[in-house]
Amino acid sequence: MAEKSESGSRHHAYSRKQKSLGLLCANFVSLYNKDDVDTVCLDDAAIKLGVERRRIYDIVNVMESIGVLTRKAKNRYLWIGFKGIPITLEQLKEGTAKEHNVSSLECSSAKVSDDEDDDKSLDHNDDYGEGRLCITDTAAKPKCVAERKEKSLGQLTQNFVKLLLTTNADTVSLDDAAKLLLGDGQNPAYMRNANAAKVRRLYDIANVLSSLNLIEKTHQSDTRKPAFRWLGTKGKCENGVTIALPPVAQKSGKRMFGTELTNVEVKRAKLLSSIDNKSNKTQVLSHDLKECNKAVQRQLQGSKSFVFGPFNPPKTPKEEVIEQKVENVPDFESFASSLRPSYHSQALHDLFSHYMEAYNSWFAEIAGGSSNLQQPLKKSVHIGHS
DNA sequence: CGATCCCGCCAGGTC
DNA sequence: GACCTGGCGGGATCG
């Protein structure tokens, strides 16, 4: 509030359009998805991207939950890249990732590590971070921690992805997703609030996922309600990230979901002055941004294609190694079975059943073509969400 | 006016 | 007590 007025330099033309999480995410990826990058320092990222730290947490949490990053230590993450996504999805399927993102990713980093440099010793004084990573047993955690985790962005992301993967009803509406991810309903007023809160989080998550081209936002054909569709590798942009274009460059000037510009200059200037004192660790160079833009260009030319999703990932040399480990095409039957939440509310149960039916009809259509697919889904398997 | 989602407060955890 | 992390919801902006 107070800070808004302080920006004399920020002429009235403040536009939220230019600061979306999706765009920030795209820039983040551009910055770190390079062969020579293996660690991510949050401070560094915040400065380079010209945003406050809090925003970095948002995208990092989402990306961590799908395996793109893994936490290494306080303030430090290991960049795994998009090849981490299929692994994480596989773990989700196996249920080894059910604990919450932290533990799941510990596993994923472990799997990835022999291929990816990982341990180039980030662990000097890692007790904080390592400690957290090591706690994979929820029983060892205090309840409040577990509860908090349960509502975490990362967990929500995983559940959202599971939902998209398991339903395959083409699209999942925002409302439905919020309801399903919320579990069951108790008192309506509480539900309304909780739902609203969850929807806000879903927007955050969806912005990130869509900028990674894992999902796209559409509308349900009948109701015109906003909805999401899982893309996986079917994403239009092979490079993995949706390249953010200035609004004018977009058709009819319409803003596209998850593709907005970050107000880098303003933020950066602000951050620079405020972080000045500890800037010995990272200096902001104008070429960082240029680098970032170059990376985007590179991606546009497909020089380094990202790979994600369980579907037939194209290979780049480095990814092949990893792929051998993930080479089984995900078994959606067991995946879905193990992931399906249990719903106490009849309405939610019906809703989910609807998605299951849609999946099954889809399955029937394609089953002939794929030997990896097994049987259609059966109802009333449940996992609950904790 | 509903949809979207930025922003930053502040609680909880760690050191 | 400083710092890190991240849940959360107010309220601004968009369509």
Side-chain angles (χ1 to χ4, degrees):
Chain A
M1 303 221 173
E3 57 89 38
K4 274 188 183 164
S5 51
E6 137 229 329
S7 61
S9 59
R10 183 196 299 174
H11 20 270
H12 52 283
Y14 163 78
S15 167
R16 198 173 61 170
K17 279 185 183 180
Q18 304 181 344
K19 313 177 106 181
S20 87
L21 210 56
L23 187 93
L24 179 61
C25 176
N27 288 337
F28 184 88
V29 169
S30 308
L31 203 54
Y32 290 103
N33 193 53
K34 301 173 186 169
D35 289 329
D36 57 336
V37 173
D38 57 355
T39 66
V40 176
C41 167
L42 299 187
D43 279 330
D44 198 35
I47 294 172
K48 284 180 175 167
L49 294 171
V51 296
E52 49 187 281
R53 221 184 146 80
R54 179 68 196 80
R55 303 282 74 78
I56 301 294
Y57 287 128
D58 284 339
I59 56 178
V60 155
N61 283 335
V62 173
M63 292 175 93
E64 182 183 16
S65 73
I66 55 171
V68 179
L69 292 165
T70 187
R71 188 194 172 93
K72 227 13 202 175
K74 179 175 77 176
N75 205 13
R76 216 161 343 144
Y77 281 77
L78 171 68
W79 179 263
I80 292 173
F82 292 90
K83 59 181 171 298
I85 297 177
I87 298 176
T88 302
L89 294 180
E90 185 78 6
Q91 288 173 348
L92 285 172
K93 162 192 147 188
E94 286 164 4
T96 55
K98 67 172 181 283
E99 283 300 325
H100 302 313
N101 54 337
V102 173
S103 56
S104 75
L105 285 151
E106 184 187 22
C107 299
S108 79
S109 88
K111 275 196 183 172
V112 174
S113 57
D114 39 9
D115 154 73
E116 258 307 279
D117 23 77
D118 90 349
D119 282 324
K120 293 217 175 103
S121 78
L122 318 136
D123 358 351
H124 336 303
N125 47 9
D126 282 356
D127 23 77
Y128 178 87
E130 293 284 31
R132 289 171 62 119
L133 277 172
C134 286
I135 304 175
T136 58
D137 180 10
T138 33
K141 298 179 191 174
K143 293 178 251 171
C144 54
V145 173
E147 278 168 24
R148 195 177 156 94
K149 284 283 174 191
E150 205 166 303
K151 301 193 212 166
S152 73
L153 244 204
Q155 184 65 66
L156 193 56
T157 301
Q158 287 189 339
N159 287 339
F160 183 47
V161 168
K162 290 173 193 174
L163 180 61
L164 286 164
L165 282 173
T166 54
T167 71
N168 199 65
D170 192 36
T171 61
V172 175
S173 83
L174 192 68
D175 276 353
D176 293 347
K179 282 177 200 152
L180 287 166
L181 296 177
L182 195 56
D184 67 286
Q186 299 119 12
N187 99 57
Y190 167 79
M191 288 296 289
R192 242 193 320 281
N193 284 339
N195 222 35
K198 196 135 291 192
V199 164
R200 279 195 284 259
R201 264 357 101 206
L202 278 178
Y203 280 120
D204 293 343
I205 292 167
N207 266 325
V208 173
L209 293 183
S210 76
S211 90
L212 299 175
N213 272 325
L214 287 173
I215 65 169
E216 80 176 344
K217 183 176 178 266
T218 59
H219 291 276
Q220 284 188 325
S221 46
D222 43 351
T223 61
R224 304 302 305 158
K225 276 179 164 182
F228 300 105
R229 172 184 293 124
W230 176 257
L231 291 179
T233 48
K234 290 183 299 185
K236 315 147 278 224
C237 175
E238 288 289 309
N239 320 306
V241 288
T242 298
I243 305 306
L245 299 173
V248 275
Q250 294 170 15
K251 39 185 164 184
S252 70
K254 268 196 174 178
R255 134 172 108 138
M256 288 174 65
F257 196 76
T259 59
E260 293 161 349
L261 288 173
T262 297
N263 196 350
V264 178
E265 293 78 14
V266 175
K267 277 286 183 181
R268 177 180 304 179
K270 198 164 129 194
L271 278 162
L272 269 179
S273 56
S274 69
I275 310 188
D276 226 7
N277 46 351
K278 46 170 159 178
S279 64
N280 56 332
K281 58 170 101 169
T282 21
Q283 53 293 63
V284 178
L285 304 171
S286 65
H287 87 259
D288 285 338
L289 193 54
K290 287 182 194 157
E291 277 296 312
C292 182
N293 291 334
K294 276 192 230 160
V296 169
Q297 288 305 318
R298 248 179 282 132
Q299 285 161 14
L300 275 171
Q301 291 154 18
S303 67
K304 176 171 185 177
S305 55
F306 305 158
V307 180
F308 43 77
F311 316 101
N312 179 34
K315 295 180 174 59
T316 63
K318 222 182 163 187
E319 280 148 2
E320 281 183 39
V321 186
I322 262 258
E323 246 177 62
Q324 291 165 1
K325 297 174 191 164
V326 204
E327 80 192 339
N328 294 340
V329 174
D331 161 10
F332 289 108
E333 149 67 5
S334 56
F335 188 10
S337 305
S338 66
L339 298 175
R340 194 169 308 132
S342 64
Y343 304 112
H344 308 293
S345 137
Q346 183 60 37
L348 293 176
H349 179 271
D350 291 346
L351 186 56
F352 201 83
S353 299
H354 161 73
Y355 286 125
M356 287 304 101
E357 276 161 31
Y359 173 87
N360 287 337
S361 62
W362 166 80
F363 175 88
E365 263 178 51
I366 65 156
S370 168
S371 53
N372 284 307
L373 293 168
Q374 296 167 356
Q375 302 149 25
L377 303 175
K378 282 165 260 152
K379 290 180 192 170
S380 81
V381 187
H382 54 267
I383 59 164
H385 32 52
S386 52

